Amino acid sequence: MNPKVNIVVVVDVIGALSDGTLLNGNLCMIDDGEQSTGQGTPELCTVVRPGQVVTWSALAVDLQTPVEIKGITFLGADAEDGDADGDGEHAGSGDAGVANSRTPGVQNPSARNPEAGNGQNGRGGRNGHGPERHNPELEVWSGVVPQLAPGVAHQYRLEVQMYEGEHSTLHIASPALMCQ
């Protein structure tokens, strides 16, 4: 197994914003893992091992459209019961300890682009969508897999930011990581 697994989140931003959801074919997830299931769906279950590095990146179907990962939060054991509104988007709590949901990039986005040190982690404008927009292909989230119970899917809440505004952040809670 490779020391690193990459997860790509592909978003149809126009569809997602029009529908108000990342479901209905507006999001697909793929990885380069060897035994993952749910490839091409929001239910991707990436098989990992302790100590492996996992990276997430987001791409828009329309490459002119801004999309980035805003947060990754691992859900607790109550995630199965956390779907109060029935939309498949759980609101559980807890942390499997894999990714720091508040720190995009390796640890600091400006570390990827030393010229971008403008006091906003390499991003121009509010929420990274200003006139000095950064290159979204360089925006990655990364974490090291801790010791986890084998064979248990650890679901996480994935939040994506598209443009700006009141309804520009959407999330799903169906993807997971699972240790062998």
Side-chain angles (χ1 to χ4, degrees), residues 22 68-73 102 157-161 169-172:
L22 292 172
E68 61 189 48
I69 296 172
K70 183 174 181 181
I72 298 171
T73 307
R102 301 293 177 227
R157 176 183 164 121
L158 173 72
E159 292 179 88
V160 293
Q161 176 81 39
T169 301
L170 297 173
H171 73 275
I172 58 166

Side-chain angles (χ1 to χ4, degrees), residues 131-166:
E132 299 172 24
R133 172 105 173 111
H134 70 289
N135 185 345
E137 287 85 27
L138 298 178
E139 187 72 33
V140 299
W141 283 61
S142 173
V144 177
V145 178
Q147 189 67 42
L148 299 172
V152 176
H154 296 276
Q155 286 187 302
Y156 56 92
R157 176 183 164 121
L158 173 72
E159 292 179 88
V160 293
Q161 176 81 39
M162 302 161 285
Y163 293 107
E164 292 182 2
E166 184 180 342

Side-chain angles (χ1 to χ4, degrees), residues 42-150:
E43 290 84 28
L44 177 68
C45 184
T46 303
V47 177
V48 295
R49 69 175 179 354
Q52 190 172 33
V53 175
V54 180
T55 62
W56 288 264
S57 59
L59 293 173
V61 172
D62 170 7
L63 297 179
Q64 301 289 324
T65 314
V67 63
E68 61 189 48
I69 296 172
K70 183 174 181 181
I72 298 171
T73 307
F74 281 82
L75 307 176
D78 62 341
E80 293 297 300
D81 300 322
D83 187 18
D85 55 6
D87 63 358
E89 301 178 6
H90 306 291
S93 60
D95 187 0
V98 178
N100 182 339
S101 64
R102 301 293 177 227
T103 307
V106 176
Q107 287 302 322
N108 176 358
S110 60
R112 289 186 311 276
N113 183 0
E115 327 280 302
N118 63 3
Q120 297 178 349
N121 290 335
R123 297 183 221 181
R126 194 173 139 239
N127 291 329
H129 302 296
E132 299 172 24
R133 172 105 173 111
H134 70 289
N135 185 345
E137 287 85 27
L138 298 178
E139 187 72 33
V140 299
W141 283 61
S142 173
V144 177
V145 178
Q147 189 67 42
L148 299 172

